mmCIF file of all heavy atoms in Angstrom:
data_model
loop_
_atom_site.group_PDB
_atom_site.id
_atom_site.type_symbol
_atom_site.label_atom_id
_atom_site.label_comp_id
_atom_site.label_asym_id
_atom_site.label_seq_id
_atom_site.Cartn_x
_atom_site.Cartn_y
_atom_site.Cartn_z
ATOM 1 N N LYS A 211 9.030 -4.396 -0.710
ATOM 2 C CA LYS A 211 8.340 -4.089 -1.962
ATOM 3 C C LYS A 211 8.276 -5.354 -2.808
ATOM 4 O O LYS A 211 9.244 -6.120 -2.869
ATOM 5 C CB LYS A 211 9.065 -2.976 -2.716
ATOM 6 C CG LYS A 211 8.930 -1.598 -2.069
ATOM 7 C CD LYS A 211 9.505 -0.528 -2.951
ATOM 8 C CE LYS A 211 9.341 0.850 -2.309
ATOM 9 N NZ LYS A 211 7.932 1.233 -2.180
ATOM 10 N N PRO A 212 7.161 -5.590 -3.475
ATOM 11 C CA PRO A 212 7.056 -6.784 -4.322
ATOM 12 C C PRO A 212 7.914 -6.644 -5.571
ATOM 13 O O PRO A 212 8.193 -5.538 -6.033
ATOM 14 C CB PRO A 212 5.565 -6.828 -4.673
ATOM 15 C CG PRO A 212 5.106 -5.409 -4.589
ATOM 16 C CD PRO A 212 5.909 -4.790 -3.481
ATOM 17 N N THR A 213 8.333 -7.776 -6.115
ATOM 18 C CA THR A 213 9.061 -7.779 -7.385
ATOM 19 C C THR A 213 8.122 -7.474 -8.530
ATOM 20 O O THR A 213 8.457 -6.728 -9.451
ATOM 21 C CB THR A 213 9.745 -9.142 -7.597
ATOM 22 O OG1 THR A 213 10.601 -9.419 -6.473
ATOM 23 C CG2 THR A 213 10.566 -9.157 -8.871
ATOM 24 N N SER A 214 6.925 -8.032 -8.464
ATOM 25 C CA SER A 214 5.885 -7.734 -9.449
ATOM 26 C C SER A 214 4.531 -8.055 -8.830
ATOM 27 O O SER A 214 4.444 -8.635 -7.751
ATOM 28 C CB SER A 214 6.098 -8.530 -10.741
ATOM 29 O OG SER A 214 5.992 -9.924 -10.500
ATOM 30 N N GLY A 215 3.469 -7.672 -9.547
ATOM 31 C CA GLY A 215 2.133 -7.853 -9.013
ATOM 32 C C GLY A 215 1.711 -6.656 -8.184
ATOM 33 O O GLY A 215 2.454 -5.672 -8.045
ATOM 34 N N GLU A 216 0.506 -6.740 -7.612
ATOM 35 C CA GLU A 216 -0.049 -5.629 -6.847
ATOM 36 C C GLU A 216 -0.615 -6.121 -5.515
ATOM 37 O O GLU A 216 -1.099 -7.249 -5.422
ATOM 38 C CB GLU A 216 -1.173 -4.940 -7.637
ATOM 39 C CG GLU A 216 -0.729 -4.316 -8.944
ATOM 40 C CD GLU A 216 -1.901 -3.737 -9.715
ATOM 41 O OE1 GLU A 216 -2.824 -4.515 -10.011
ATOM 42 O OE2 GLU A 216 -1.894 -2.527 -10.009
ATOM 43 N N ALA A 217 -0.576 -5.236 -4.526
ATOM 44 C CA ALA A 217 -1.173 -5.534 -3.227
ATOM 45 C C ALA A 217 -1.796 -4.261 -2.682
ATOM 46 O O ALA A 217 -1.161 -3.199 -2.661
ATOM 47 C CB ALA A 217 -0.117 -6.065 -2.263
ATOM 48 N N PHE A 218 -3.049 -4.379 -2.250
ATOM 49 C CA PHE A 218 -3.789 -3.226 -1.759
ATOM 50 C C PHE A 218 -4.307 -3.496 -0.347
ATOM 51 O O PHE A 218 -4.739 -4.608 -0.038
ATOM 52 C CB PHE A 218 -4.977 -2.908 -2.672
ATOM 53 C CG PHE A 218 -4.591 -2.603 -4.094
ATOM 54 C CD1 PHE A 218 -4.460 -3.623 -5.025
ATOM 55 C CD2 PHE A 218 -4.343 -1.298 -4.503
ATOM 56 C CE1 PHE A 218 -4.102 -3.355 -6.340
ATOM 57 C CE2 PHE A 218 -3.978 -1.010 -5.814
ATOM 58 C CZ PHE A 218 -3.861 -2.043 -6.737
ATOM 59 N N VAL A 219 -4.264 -2.491 0.492
ATOM 60 C CA VAL A 219 -4.868 -2.533 1.814
ATOM 61 C C VAL A 219 -5.927 -1.437 1.864
ATOM 62 O O VAL A 219 -5.601 -0.255 1.720
ATOM 63 C CB VAL A 219 -3.819 -2.328 2.924
ATOM 64 C CG1 VAL A 219 -4.500 -2.088 4.269
ATOM 65 C CG2 VAL A 219 -2.903 -3.547 3.025
ATOM 66 N N PHE A 220 -7.169 -1.849 1.995
ATOM 67 C CA PHE A 220 -8.308 -0.920 1.938
ATOM 68 C C PHE A 220 -8.187 0.014 0.731
ATOM 69 O O PHE A 220 -8.399 1.226 0.822
ATOM 70 C CB PHE A 220 -8.429 -0.123 3.239
ATOM 71 C CG PHE A 220 -8.893 -0.953 4.405
ATOM 72 C CD1 PHE A 220 -8.000 -1.357 5.385
ATOM 73 C CD2 PHE A 220 -10.217 -1.356 4.507
ATOM 74 C CE1 PHE A 220 -8.420 -2.135 6.453
ATOM 75 C CE2 PHE A 220 -10.654 -2.135 5.576
ATOM 76 C CZ PHE A 220 -9.752 -2.523 6.551
ATOM 77 N N GLY A 221 -7.843 -0.578 -0.413
ATOM 78 C CA GLY A 221 -7.795 0.158 -1.661
ATOM 79 C C GLY A 221 -6.530 0.942 -1.912
ATOM 80 O O GLY A 221 -6.353 1.510 -2.996
ATOM 81 N N GLN A 222 -5.608 0.967 -0.938
ATOM 82 C CA GLN A 222 -4.359 1.711 -1.091
ATOM 83 C C GLN A 222 -3.222 0.775 -1.498
ATOM 84 O O GLN A 222 -2.998 -0.257 -0.858
ATOM 85 C CB GLN A 222 -3.995 2.423 0.215
ATOM 86 C CG GLN A 222 -5.028 3.428 0.696
ATOM 87 C CD GLN A 222 -5.128 4.641 -0.222
ATOM 88 O OE1 GLN A 222 -4.133 5.132 -0.743
ATOM 89 N NE2 GLN A 222 -6.353 5.129 -0.436
ATOM 90 N N ASP A 223 -2.524 1.132 -2.561
ATOM 91 C CA ASP A 223 -1.393 0.337 -3.042
ATOM 92 C C ASP A 223 -0.275 0.372 -2.005
ATOM 93 O O ASP A 223 0.228 1.444 -1.649
ATOM 94 C CB ASP A 223 -0.900 0.911 -4.373
ATOM 95 C CG ASP A 223 0.120 0.016 -5.063
ATOM 96 O OD1 ASP A 223 1.091 -0.393 -4.402
ATOM 97 O OD2 ASP A 223 -0.053 -0.251 -6.261
ATOM 98 N N VAL A 224 0.139 -0.797 -1.501
ATOM 99 C CA VAL A 224 1.125 -0.838 -0.418
ATOM 100 C C VAL A 224 2.497 -0.351 -0.859
ATOM 101 O O VAL A 224 3.299 0.103 -0.036
ATOM 102 C CB VAL A 224 1.239 -2.264 0.185
ATOM 103 C CG1 VAL A 224 -0.077 -2.714 0.773
ATOM 104 C CG2 VAL A 224 1.746 -3.268 -0.852
ATOM 105 N N ALA A 225 2.794 -0.436 -2.159
ATOM 106 C CA ALA A 225 4.093 0.017 -2.668
ATOM 107 C C ALA A 225 4.092 1.515 -2.950
ATOM 108 O O ALA A 225 5.086 2.200 -2.703
ATOM 109 C CB ALA A 225 4.466 -0.760 -3.926
ATOM 110 N N LYS A 226 2.974 2.035 -3.446
ATOM 111 C CA LYS A 226 2.913 3.439 -3.866
ATOM 112 C C LYS A 226 2.333 4.365 -2.797
ATOM 113 O O LYS A 226 2.586 5.570 -2.809
ATOM 114 C CB LYS A 226 2.086 3.563 -5.141
ATOM 115 C CG LYS A 226 2.664 2.796 -6.317
ATOM 116 C CD LYS A 226 1.739 2.863 -7.525
ATOM 117 C CE LYS A 226 2.295 2.054 -8.700
ATOM 118 N NZ LYS A 226 1.372 2.066 -9.862
ATOM 119 N N LYS A 227 1.542 3.822 -1.879
ATOM 120 C CA LYS A 227 0.873 4.632 -0.855
ATOM 121 C C LYS A 227 1.217 4.109 0.538
ATOM 122 O O LYS A 227 0.350 3.957 1.400
ATOM 123 C CB LYS A 227 -0.648 4.597 -1.059
ATOM 124 C CG LYS A 227 -1.110 5.083 -2.430
ATOM 125 C CD LYS A 227 -0.981 6.591 -2.569
ATOM 126 C CE LYS A 227 -1.572 7.067 -3.892
ATOM 127 N NZ LYS A 227 -1.467 8.528 -4.035
ATOM 128 N N SER A 228 2.496 3.823 0.753
ATOM 129 C CA SER A 228 2.907 3.162 1.995
ATOM 130 C C SER A 228 2.581 3.989 3.237
ATOM 131 O O SER A 228 2.188 3.439 4.265
ATOM 132 C CB SER A 228 4.403 2.848 1.951
ATOM 133 O OG SER A 228 5.170 4.017 1.739
ATOM 134 N N SER A 229 2.743 5.295 3.188
ATOM 135 C CA SER A 229 2.470 6.125 4.374
ATOM 136 C C SER A 229 0.996 6.085 4.744
ATOM 137 O O SER A 229 0.644 6.043 5.928
ATOM 138 C CB SER A 229 2.924 7.571 4.133
ATOM 139 O OG SER A 229 2.248 8.137 3.020
ATOM 140 N N GLN A 230 0.102 6.084 3.736
ATOM 141 C CA GLN A 230 -1.335 5.988 4.017
ATOM 142 C C GLN A 230 -1.687 4.615 4.595
ATOM 143 O O GLN A 230 -2.520 4.510 5.498
ATOM 144 C CB GLN A 230 -2.151 6.240 2.737
ATOM 145 C CG GLN A 230 -2.124 7.679 2.255
ATOM 146 C CD GLN A 230 -1.028 7.941 1.242
ATOM 147 O OE1 GLN A 230 0.069 7.388 1.367
ATOM 148 N NE2 GLN A 230 -1.310 8.765 0.244
ATOM 149 N N VAL A 231 -1.047 3.572 4.054
ATOM 150 C CA VAL A 231 -1.308 2.213 4.536
ATOM 151 C C VAL A 231 -0.906 2.084 6.002
ATOM 152 O O VAL A 231 -1.637 1.523 6.820
ATOM 153 C CB VAL A 231 -0.571 1.172 3.677
ATOM 154 C CG1 VAL A 231 -0.641 -0.212 4.315
ATOM 155 C CG2 VAL A 231 -1.158 1.130 2.268
ATOM 156 N N ARG A 232 0.264 2.617 6.354
ATOM 157 C CA ARG A 232 0.767 2.479 7.723
ATOM 158 C C ARG A 232 -0.129 3.168 8.752
ATOM 159 O O ARG A 232 -0.122 2.785 9.929
ATOM 160 C CB ARG A 232 2.196 3.019 7.813
ATOM 161 C CG ARG A 232 3.230 2.077 7.197
ATOM 162 C CD ARG A 232 4.643 2.456 7.585
ATOM 163 N NE ARG A 232 5.060 3.695 6.947
ATOM 164 C CZ ARG A 232 5.680 3.753 5.776
ATOM 165 N NH1 ARG A 232 5.929 2.651 5.088
ATOM 166 N NH2 ARG A 232 6.052 4.924 5.276
ATOM 167 N N LYS A 233 -0.913 4.133 8.334
ATOM 168 C CA LYS A 233 -1.836 4.810 9.254
ATOM 169 C C LYS A 233 -3.043 3.935 9.589
ATOM 170 O O LYS A 233 -3.743 4.195 10.569
ATOM 171 C CB LYS A 233 -2.312 6.130 8.643
ATOM 172 C CG LYS A 233 -1.223 7.183 8.516
ATOM 173 C CD LYS A 233 -1.741 8.427 7.807
ATOM 174 C CE LYS A 233 -0.629 9.459 7.626
ATOM 175 N NZ LYS A 233 -1.111 10.649 6.873
ATOM 176 N N MET A 234 -3.275 2.903 8.773
ATOM 177 C CA MET A 234 -4.468 2.067 8.947
ATOM 178 C C MET A 234 -4.172 0.716 9.577
ATOM 179 O O MET A 234 -5.102 -0.007 9.934
ATOM 180 C CB MET A 234 -5.139 1.837 7.584
ATOM 181 C CG MET A 234 -5.658 3.089 6.915
ATOM 182 S SD MET A 234 -6.591 2.707 5.409
ATOM 183 C CE MET A 234 -5.271 2.187 4.309
ATOM 184 N N ILE A 235 -2.890 0.368 9.685
ATOM 185 C CA ILE A 235 -2.553 -0.996 10.102
ATOM 186 C C ILE A 235 -1.746 -1.024 11.391
ATOM 187 O O ILE A 235 -1.123 -0.038 11.786
ATOM 188 C CB ILE A 235 -1.764 -1.734 9.001
ATOM 189 C CG1 ILE A 235 -0.374 -1.090 8.808
ATOM 190 C CG2 ILE A 235 -2.552 -1.773 7.704
ATOM 191 C CD1 ILE A 235 0.550 -1.871 7.901
#
């Protein structure tokens, strides 16, 4: 998890929507 800032994979927040992200990568 990042200390600060944001990161998105296909519009999904990697910190808040990790399960959705893992289905795409």
